[in-house]
Amino acid sequence: MKHIITLTLSPVVDKSTTVDRIVADQKLPCDEPRFEPGGGGINVSRGLKRLNVNSVAIFPSGGLTGQHLQDLLKAEHINQVPVLTEKLTRENFIVVNREVHEEYRFGMPAVELLPKEELEILRVIKNLSPKPKFMVVSGSMPPGSSEDFLAKVARIAQQDGAKLIVDTSGEALKNAVEEGVYLLKPNQAELSKLTDIEVKDKNTAEEAARKIIDKGKCEVVVVSLGAQGAYIASRGYNEHIAAPDIEKRSTVGAGDSMVAGMVYAAEKGLDLRQMVRMGIACGSAATMNAGPELFKRADAERLFAELIKN
Ligand SMILES: Nc1ncnc2c1ncn2[C@@H]1O[C@H](COP(=O)(O)OP(=O)(O)OP(=O)(O)O)[C@@H](O)[C@H]1O
Ligand SMILES: [Mg+2]
């Protein structure tokens, strides 16, 4: 089944290693590095894979790191359509200091996308065959990308009758929302910026999400509230769901895991009540793992079974 595509405009190769201690001006012998593919949509594709659902990851890929990213995805059996770019795909660097159990996450800036590369990505999405049922756009927008890029993606989704799911920020998000989106997954900061309402709890999340739903351009808004769970708003159904009580290790990857859970549920034809719970289950399951590790399927299923009782 290739009816889910994910689009990642700022993909990355995550390189992680461990070192006994960090001191200046000395050689620091590191453990053998580990490499993982990353970036919003790519993580959604990886999360879906854990739930046994195939998707196609579309992303810009440049130079040797781009090739490495493609190899890493291939090793995980994730379908991909890389769009070749002039600039080198970035590589982030994560170092764990063994002495004090601290993790340092060095993030390189998103890589510029040239106008012709952006056009090529749009062309790829337009010419997909068969037409996708779900399009997921997740992660930050790179410098150089035009502000109406997501609006153009939204138009293609409408023409194709695909459900567009967006998890990003800034002006691009604003424009996409004005064009029309099936589901938005902002966190508190993203929703605050989008609506000019300071979102800090479920009441303010409700007020801000309603503002978007009432405009009629977006069917479902799922506001992720970190440890406070999530608030879902749509025309006919609204609810706040608390996050399950888990032992948190790292919240990195929680948002992408949540989106994967919701796309999984939507693809299986589950209703909104079940969909948001599967999202929370996958998001919270991701926080049980250290570092950028996504969720384990068994954890997500156990949390979902708990959440669905209420
Ligand atoms: N501390 C936590 N305890 C339990 N669950 C959590 C915690 N933090 C996040 N989650 C789960 O993950 C979901 C998404 O988290 P969050 O709101 O932090 O997303 P995000 O800000 O988009 O994350 P990201 O930094 O990955 O982009 C939450 O709705 C919740 O289910
Ligand atoms: Mg997020």
Side-chain angles (χ1 to χ4, degrees), residues 167 185 187 190 255:
D167 179 6
K185 203 294 289 161
N187 62 19
E190 288 153 358

Side-chain angles (χ1 to χ4, degrees), residues 36-220:
E36 276 190 285
I42 285 176
N43 279 334
V44 174
S45 281
R46 298 172 74 216
L48 284 167
K49 188 84 198 172
R50 278 167 198 224
L51 298 168
N52 249 336
V53 170
N54 285 326
S55 62
V56 182
I58 301 172
F59 55 92
S61 168
L64 285 178
T65 17
Q67 185 56 53
H68 192 187
L69 177 60
Q70 294 173 43
D71 293 345
L72 290 167
L73 287 172
K74 203 166 168 203
E76 294 192 11
H77 306 288
I78 291 177
N79 305 309
Q80 54 181 303
V81 183
V83 172
L84 299 185
T85 57
E86 277 179 23
K87 299 258 159 104
L88 202 66
T89 296
R90 67 194 167 132
E91 187 178 77
N92 286 348
F93 189 46
I94 300 136
V95 189
V96 174
N97 181 344
R98 202 177 271 124
E99 194 175 36
V100 288
H101 299 287
E102 273 177 347
E103 189 175 90
Y104 302 86
R105 307 184 60 83
F106 299 94
M108 303 304 143
V111 177
E112 189 187 347
L113 198 61
L114 302 180
K116 63 173 183 196
E117 297 164 351
E118 195 180 272
L119 279 176
E120 178 59 15
I121 291 174
L122 288 172
R123 198 190 62 79
V124 165
I125 299 173
K126 232 182 246 168
N127 293 336
L128 288 167
S129 173
K131 297 290 180 202
K133 290 188 184 145
F134 296 95
M135 289 187 191
V136 184
V137 184
S138 179
S140 53
M141 302 297 293
S145 63
S146 41
E147 282 186 355
D148 64 349
F149 179 76
L150 285 191
K152 287 180 182 154
V153 174
R155 247 168 271 153
I156 299 173
Q158 277 165 20
Q159 279 157 13
D160 289 355
K163 285 183 167 171
L164 179 64
I165 293 148
V166 174
D167 179 6
T168 184
S169 50
E171 275 311 298
L173 173 62
K174 264 191 190 151
N175 289 326
V177 172
E178 269 156 37
E179 195 60 42
V181 170
Y182 168 65
L183 186 148
L184 275 193
K185 203 294 289 161
N187 62 19
Q188 298 180 53
E190 288 153 358
L191 186 62
S192 301
K193 220 163 162 221
L194 185 62
T195 59
D196 287 325
I197 294 172
E198 195 192 338
V199 178
K200 46 185 192 298
D201 52 24
K202 61 179 176 184
N203 293 330
T204 41
E206 174 173 13
E207 187 190 346
R210 278 256 68 84
K211 195 170 164 183
I212 297 173
I213 294 293
D214 288 346
K215 279 190 183 159
K217 292 281 190 179
C218 181
E219 272 187 56
V220 188

Side-chain angles (χ1 to χ4, degrees), residues 167 185-190 222-231 241-248 250-259 276 279-287 307:
D167 179 6
K185 203 294 289 161
N187 62 19
Q188 298 180 53
E190 288 153 358
V222 175
V223 190
S224 66
L225 299 166
Q228 294 182 73
Y231 183 85
I241 301 107
D245 202 6
I246 43 92
E247 201 161 312
K248 185 197 85 174
S250 157
T251 60
V252 181
D256 297 334
S257 296
M258 178 180 215
V259 174
V276 63
I280 292 174
C282 292
S284 294
T287 68
L307 287 165

